[in-house]
Amino acid sequence: MKAAIIGAGAIGGFYGAALADAGMDVSFIARGKTLIAIREHGLRLVGNTELTLDVPVTDDAAEIGQVDVVLLCTKTFQVAEAARTYLPALMGPHTLVVTTQNGVIAPHELSAIIGPEHVAPGVCRQWVKIVEPGLIMDLGGPRMFEVSTIDDSPNTLVNELREACRKGGLTSPDVENITTTLWVKMCSVVPQGACGAVLDVSLGDLLGPYRDVFARCIDETVQVARAHSARIADDFVEKNLTFLAGQDPASTTSFQRDILAGRPSEYAAQVGAVPRLGDEVGVDTPINDVIAAVLGRREAQNRA
């Protein structure tokens, strides 16, 4: 199996490295300082994974050519541009493009560009961050990568990708319902980023003095998910809060860090998407409405 990784940041670097270390033919597409760093020093992982790999990296997809699988590891707001820039040279008649972004927007946006038959939604479960270009810190986690076709139909390439993940030390289970899997991840991470950003606090405070508003934000997102046919457990909110209580209380999400630092964020596909998706199915989201309004203004100022 031949694969291309578009974006060698935290997610692309970590999961691409796992596949390359498993012996898969993997090439990376990167730009600017990241491209230069990987060419000069290799792709480096530190922390819970200590690894340096000499991997092919380019900013020209034509140098790679057609592949079996593409992992699209950009920010959500970069998906369309990356698809139109790089995928024409990478895609053959059966190529699958795997989305890795949090939320439920990216698979549908990509399907409109390349067709749903080429889209395989993926869900990443590992805490990773960029230390500097080409250097990724593995902070721990379940080392999981869940992937399926957009309609959960059987696919040989998906099976081969799961097996390659397992050889690379990742957990990659069979997926019964990718819609539910995507929504579970969204309900797990988006409320933390939303509440953390609007209050400018870390996880410990969300679970302490702001626990009630945090729980209500999660619950609203769960109600929207169920209305969109996701099968979310009745006790999801309490179980999620219990799980988060075992994590670093100083932690924040990448969305929160981006928007508070004045960088372009994934607001539209995460925090801003919850009220919009609720409106589509007639679910009221008053907590998320207020948070989205406040952070939407912040996002507009950041992009001005």
Side-chain angles (χ1 to χ4, degrees), residues 44-256:
R44 296 167 291 160
L45 274 68
V46 294
N48 285 272
T49 302
E50 295 285 343
L51 186 66
T52 298
L53 295 173
D54 183 14
V55 294
V57 60
T58 180
D59 58 0
D60 183 1
E63 293 181 4
I64 300 172
Q66 291 186 2
V67 297
D68 300 301
V69 172
V70 179
L71 267 62
L72 184 56
C73 302
T74 65
K75 296 287 189 179
T76 308
F77 56 81
Q78 298 169 322
V79 164
E81 177 190 0
R84 296 188 174 102
T85 301
Y86 301 118
L87 291 184
L90 298 173
M91 289 188 64
H94 304 293
T95 300
L96 281 182
V97 182
V98 181
T99 57
T100 61
Q101 296 75 19
N102 288 334
V104 298
I105 302 299
H108 299 288
E109 183 175 8
L110 186 61
S111 294
I113 298 172
I114 64 173
E117 69 276 11
H118 291 288
V119 177
V123 174
C124 303
R125 301 187 187 276
Q126 186 71 1
W127 290 282
V128 289
K129 69 176 184 179
I130 299 172
V131 178
E132 61 184 53
L135 178 61
I136 311 302
M137 172 71 74
D138 174 11
L139 299 169
R143 303 180 67 86
M144 184 178 291
F145 189 48
E146 297 167 282
V147 59
S148 181
T149 53
I150 205 163
D151 61 356
D152 297 305
S153 58
N155 185 281
T156 300
L157 288 176
V158 168
N159 293 337
E160 291 181 11
L161 178 58
R162 289 174 182 160
E163 184 58 31
C165 287
R166 294 163 188 156
K167 288 180 179 178
L170 305 176
T171 299
S172 189
D174 294 344
V175 176
E176 180 180 344
N177 186 315
I178 194 62
T179 295
T180 295
T181 302
L182 289 167
W183 272 105
V184 165
K185 180 70 180 293
M186 184 165 180
C187 293
S188 299
V189 302
V190 171
Q192 181 184 346
C195 292
V198 79
L199 295 167
D200 193 11
V201 297
S202 62
L203 178 60
D205 284 330
L206 292 180
L207 296 172
Y210 303 109
R211 183 185 181 91
D212 181 63
V213 70
F214 185 31
R216 290 168 65 188
C217 183
I218 298 171
D219 184 63
E220 286 182 4
T221 309
V222 168
Q223 299 308 319
V224 174
R226 289 178 181 144
H228 279 275
S229 302
R231 298 196 288 267
I232 310 292
D234 291 341
D235 59 354
F236 177 87
V237 175
E238 283 305 316
K239 281 192 171 181
N240 190 54
L241 291 171
T242 300
F243 169 78
L244 291 173
Q247 308 309 308
D248 181 359
S251 65
T252 57
T253 71
S254 59
F255 164 78
Q256 178 179 345

